[in-house]
Amino acid sequence: MVEFMDLSPVIECLRSARRVLFITGAGLSADSGLPTYRGVGGLYDRGPTDEGVPIEVMLGGRMMREDPAACWKYIGQIEEACRGAQPNAGHHAIARLEALLDEVWVLTQNVDGFHTRAGSSRVIEIHGDLHRLHCTACTWKNEVQDYAELTLPPSCPDCGALVRPAVVLFGEMLPVAAVGMLQRELARGFDLVVSVGTTSAFPYIADPVIRARHHRVPTVEINPGESEVSHLVDHRIQAGAAEMLSALLSGLESD
Ligand SMILES: [Zn+2]
């Protein structure tokens, strides 16, 4: 549908921007074939669990402490869905924009690590990354390609305590370092904020758009459906993430 949509106003915004913030969610990962879960990083939407307990409980910080095997079972399912999937044209388009603009930042809710894999260098993973593991008792940590070699729930090779992924489970705080980085960059300000493939249900995801609007900074949304910020943005593109990000990149590169 690209040919019927006039992207030139957005391309114009990109061309004159120095610092751009992309806010990404499950809709972008969906274009890599990942299911659009909700929950952890917008993950999980398969209805009730085998245990008959809401997924928010199974994927909760408390469950990780009290019944790690049960919690890991669902984390393992999410990882399995990501396994073999690759960053898509949308991730690559954002990464390639770094060569054309002064500073491109990504605030992502996705825990698949695809932005970094695609080559983006300024990524704020506000919900963490499934592939980073750490011990709950000592300083051991590791980064894995996937969980194929793991026995769930995994235990620390150094001390034997429980190992967990560096993702934000329900009821847990956002990672301090990521929040600090986000606050610092928001304070420095952006010239353009683009929300991609997210319903912006979390306040800290909607906030940069609201802030931008307050400061008369142009805002764009790329999302086929209605979101919490749809009514706020200057340019609303109701289409798929990968397709539209590629189209914006080619538009920018073509002149
Ligand atoms: Zn340990």
Side-chain angles (χ1 to χ4, degrees):
M1 297 298 154
V2 182
E3 58 271 30
F4 300 113
M5 203 172 288
D6 183 17
L7 296 177
S8 51
V10 178
I11 293 168
E12 217 36 63
C13 286
L14 269 173
R15 199 189 312 280
S16 53
R18 204 177 53 81
R19 280 169 48 86
V20 179
L21 174 66
F22 286 90
I23 304 168
T24 68
L28 179 55
S29 295
D31 288 342
S32 284
L34 302 191
T36 51
Y37 297 119
R38 70 186 160 80
V40 179
L43 290 176
Y44 215 91
D45 194 11
R46 289 185 183 173
T49 61
D50 303 340
E51 291 78 6
V53 173
I55 191 62
E56 289 82 358
V57 174
M58 298 311 295
L59 285 172
R62 187 171 172 185
M63 189 62 71
M64 180 58 88
R65 287 189 302 275
E66 294 176 357
D67 190 350
C71 186
W72 262 104
K73 173 180 152 187
Y74 289 94
I75 293 170
Q77 285 182 11
I78 293 168
E79 189 280 326
E80 232 180 295
C82 298
R83 208 180 293 176
Q86 301 292 331
N88 61 55
H91 298 101
H92 289 296
I94 293 175
R96 279 171 61 188
L97 281 174
E98 289 193 9
L100 304 172
L101 307 169
D102 281 0
E103 268 184 57
V104 177
W105 282 86
V106 180
L107 165 62
T108 189
Q109 301 162 82
N110 301 335
V111 294
D112 47 41
F114 283 174
H115 283 292
T116 307
R117 264 172 67 187
S120 283
S121 61
R122 299 179 183 93
V123 184
I124 302 170
E125 291 172 327
I126 202 75
H127 292 155
D129 181 346
L130 274 175
H131 306 98
R132 293 200 310 266
L133 306 175
H134 64 86
C135 176
T136 53
C138 75
T139 56
W140 182 89
K141 53 183 167 183
N142 194 18
E143 201 163 328
V144 293
Q145 285 267 319
D146 57 50
Y147 293 174
E149 304 297 316
L150 294 184
T151 308
L152 305 186
S155 46
C156 175
D158 286 354
C159 76
L162 176 69
V163 163
R164 62 164 287 172
V167 294
V168 179
L169 297 169
F170 284 96
E172 292 187 324
M173 307 279 284
L174 296 174
V176 174
V179 170
M181 203 188 297
L182 175 60
Q183 283 171 348
R184 185 191 72 206
E185 296 309 321
L186 284 174
R188 289 180 65 202
F190 290 97
D191 315 308
L192 177 65
V193 174
V194 186
S195 173
V196 185
T198 174
T199 56
S200 297
F202 296 113
Y204 47 90
I205 294 301
D207 174 64
V209 176
I210 296 165
R211 229 183 236 250
R213 188 179 157 83
H214 184 74
H215 290 103
R216 298 177 188 279
V217 167
T219 50
V220 180
E221 179 179 58
I222 303 173
N223 198 41
E226 189 82 22
S227 83
E228 297 293 326
V229 300
S230 296
H231 65 289
L232 294 175
V233 296
D234 299 307
H235 306 280
R236 190 173 171 196
I237 304 172
Q238 285 189 268
E243 184 191 16
M244 283 304 132
L245 288 167
S246 312
L248 290 176
L249 176 69
S250 356
L252 202 62
E253 280 176 332
S254 71
D255 358 52

